[in-house]
Amino acid sequence: MDDVWNVCYSCKGSRYNDRVLNIKHKGLNVTDLMQLTVNELITYFGDIQGKKSEAIMNILVQLKETGLGHLQSGQELESLSAGEGQRISLSVKLLEGKGKKTLYMLDEPTTGLYYPDIDKLIKVFNRLVDEGHTVLFIEHNPYLIAVANQVIEL
């Protein structure tokens, strides 16, 4: 049976009350911002200066570099593919794991990606290896397999 979604009569699905929705930055409220993609948010926050905006930009750029520029900032987690979920986890680990040598294990990280996004992911993997980390992935995509240093076929 399919999920049933009801829209709240009070907030009309925005998840915020009127007091919060009346706060705007550059003409947008929080609901408007939650509907922007990562790529759009990079443009939106690109000219804002300050320590907090720098932290926001680091997160957004990391998501874009792992091929997630198409995601909306308020996208439901249930709507993400397994590969997108893995790449979000990878982005978080990359942001918090500076300096620590890490083994990254991914299962089918290219699922649902077009070749330009796979190229972005390969660049991230290469950067990790260059920094001394180990990247291990289970993959069927011959494009990603072709760039692997070692291939174990089962």
Side-chain angles (χ1 to χ4, degrees):
M1 198 166 169
D2 289 336
D3 293 337
V4 176
W5 297 93
N6 291 321
V7 178
C8 172
Y9 70 91
S10 178
C11 72
K12 297 170 190 70
S14 72
R15 298 184 244 167
Y16 301 97
N17 64 32
D18 287 338
R19 199 169 119 208
V20 172
L21 292 174
N22 286 329
I23 300 169
K24 295 192 177 193
H25 181 268
K26 292 169 98 175
L28 300 179
N29 65 27
V30 68
T31 301
D32 299 329
L33 289 171
M34 295 301 259
Q35 299 199 5
L36 295 179
T37 65
V38 169
N39 290 334
E40 292 167 335
L41 286 168
I42 289 172
T43 302
Y44 179 83
F45 286 115
D47 62 347
I48 299 172
Q49 301 298 316
K51 203 170 195 176
K52 289 184 181 178
S53 63
E54 186 179 320
I56 291 169
M57 286 300 288
N58 286 341
I59 294 167
L60 294 172
V61 168
Q62 187 61 64
L63 290 170
K64 182 178 180 171
E65 286 179 355
T66 54
L68 297 171
H70 64 282
L71 293 183
Q72 287 183 318
S73 62
Q75 190 164 337
E76 301 281 334
L77 288 176
E78 297 84 25
S79 70
L80 299 176
S81 71
E84 289 169 334
Q86 285 184 108
R87 282 179 273 132
I88 287 176
S89 295
L90 177 62
S91 295
V92 169
K93 292 296 181 191
L94 289 169
L95 287 165
E96 65 187 27
K98 303 277 184 198
K100 300 176 188 172
K101 301 296 183 227
T102 306
L103 167 64
Y104 294 93
M105 297 174 56
L106 299 117
D107 182 21
E108 301 282 351
T110 64
T111 300
L113 290 182
Y114 294 104
Y115 287 107
D117 289 327
I118 294 173
D119 284 334
K120 291 176 188 175
L121 193 59
I122 290 170
K123 286 178 185 173
V124 171
F125 290 162
N126 286 333
R127 189 179 86 214
L128 288 169
V129 171
D130 291 344
E131 292 173 3
H133 304 288
T134 302
V135 179
L136 172 73
F137 51 83
I138 299 168
E139 186 61 67
H140 292 93
N141 187 316
Y143 191 65
L144 184 59
I145 294 170
V147 300
N149 292 341
Q150 306 243 346
V151 176
I152 301 170
E153 190 171 347
L154 301 177

